[in-house]
Amino acid sequence: MLKTYPTREYLDLVFSYFGNGEPPPFPHFPHRTTPGLIQVWNAEHVPCNYLQSFENSMDEVHVAFAHQPGGSHAKLAADLPIITAEETDWGVLRFGTRRTGKVRQTLHYAPNLTRVIVPPLAGMDGVGGWSEIYFSFTPVDDENHLWLITSHVEVTGKDAEAYKAKRAEYDRRVAAATPVMDVVRDLWSGKLRFAEVTHPDLAVVQDIAVQAGQGRIEGRQSERLGRSDAGIILWRRILTRELRAIAQGRQAKKWQVPPADITPTLGF
């Protein structure tokens, strides 16, 4: 006898509930409803615990360093923000305030999804502009996770056709390129220098090299976090509190479905 599970298609991904009893409300997070295209990027199997990648998405300042080679994130690196964060009913709301007073707002839905506005990947040459993107860091086991990426590109009409043509060209370049994890391993082994990498998925290569390069489960006992790590610090405090409650047999926090009216902002 085969067991079945409830599934739903959402943002061009298939979600399934493997728990007991009735599934929770669906969808479990909202998305942008303005006209545009939904795009699903290549899924990457990342050889480290999912928290290392989820926390990296909370570190806005890392773009000035990890993504400096290649320049796709140059605008983010030009004016490093002051980072603050607050706990919500659905996760963590993070703010990056720049010298102009403008605030970049990023959403981290508990337990594993980041919603943010990002620049086009290097291989898209700016076509389609900045898009709203959903990073789903989905655990496989303690030492591996899948990085699933869905973006909402605000293009319509002729702009949408131009984007689709560029995306098809980009997809061909990705298919012909060395697989992301092979490039990452060449970086780890010293065959490549970080600043020398040229790849259509350059930002993905850079992120995985740094995240999984720490080890599959990085020890944090001697780590010293700073002011720009405010989102990470808050998230770890939440995890510590919740895991302690579970260990002591107390009720853990019941995270809520995020409201649709709280959305990421560009902040420039």
Side-chain angles (χ1 to χ4, degrees):
M1 184 179 194
L2 294 176
K3 190 170 183 178
T4 61
Y5 299 92
T7 59
R8 299 286 190 278
E9 186 173 343
Y10 184 60
L11 294 177
D12 282 358
L13 297 173
V14 176
F15 293 81
S16 183
Y17 176 68
F18 297 103
N20 297 318
E22 290 298 314
F26 192 89
H28 62 288
F29 65 91
H31 74 281
R32 181 179 291 205
T33 57
T34 52
L37 299 174
I38 299 296
Q39 297 284 294
V40 175
W41 301 88
N42 287 344
E44 296 295 341
H45 187 127
V46 185
C48 68
N49 186 276
Y50 91 96
L51 279 172
Q52 290 172 210
S53 296
F54 191 36
E55 286 189 348
N56 181 78
S57 75
M58 299 180 182
D59 178 15
E60 187 169 329
V61 173
H62 89 277
V63 300
F65 305 96
H67 298 308
Q68 189 277 330
S72 63
H73 289 60
K75 193 171 181 65
L76 281 170
D79 179 11
L80 296 183
I82 300 298
I83 303 298
T84 55
E86 64 182 43
E87 182 177 353
T88 69
D89 290 338
W90 41 263
V92 169
L93 182 58
R94 180 170 55 80
F95 309 96
T97 304
R98 286 172 164 76
R99 285 174 293 182
T100 60
K102 292 184 177 180
V103 180
R104 179 171 168 80
Q105 183 170 285
T106 303
L107 288 61
H108 302 284
Y109 296 149
N112 67 326
L113 191 136
T114 293
R115 183 180 176 188
V116 63
I117 298 177
V118 300
L121 291 179
M124 289 297 293
D125 299 327
V127 175
W130 291 55
S131 59
E132 185 165 303
I133 203 161
Y134 309 82
F135 294 137
S136 180
F137 305 104
T138 304
V140 174
D141 53 34
D142 285 350
E143 297 185 346
N144 299 272
H145 68 277
L146 293 177
W147 186 7
L148 306 173
I149 306 174
T150 301
S151 59
H152 181 112
V153 188
E154 279 201 325
V155 287
T156 57
K158 293 182 178 179
D159 290 337
E161 295 306 312
Y163 177 87
K164 289 178 181 177
K166 184 64 179 180
R167 176 60 188 257
E169 175 191 328
Y170 167 82
D171 288 342
R172 288 192 292 270
R173 291 176 59 197
V174 170
T178 304
V180 164
M181 280 307 304
D182 287 351
V183 179
V184 169
R185 292 187 184 96
D186 283 346
L187 282 169
W188 290 343
S189 68
K191 292 180 182 178
L192 279 177
R193 290 168 54 87
F194 198 81
E196 295 172 348
V197 177
T198 57
H199 193 279
D201 275 343
L202 180 60
V204 176
V205 170
Q206 292 166 337
D207 271 333
I208 295 177
V210 172
Q211 295 159 14
Q214 300 171 59
R216 289 184 179 264
I217 301 178
E218 170 61 9
R220 305 296 184 187
Q221 294 82 359
S222 60
E223 193 173 61
R224 296 293 181 268
L225 299 178
R227 292 173 58 189
S228 65
D229 299 311
I232 297 171
I233 292 169
L234 175 59
W235 180 243
R236 290 189 186 176
R237 286 175 176 168
I238 292 170
L239 286 180
T240 300
R241 182 194 70 207
E242 295 304 304
L243 291 172
R244 182 175 292 124
I246 293 171
Q248 295 174 351
R250 294 184 285 111
Q251 178 64 56
K253 180 170 180 174
K254 292 186 177 181
W255 299 101
Q256 304 299 310
V257 175
D261 60 346
I262 301 178
T263 59
T265 60
L266 181 57
F268 296 116

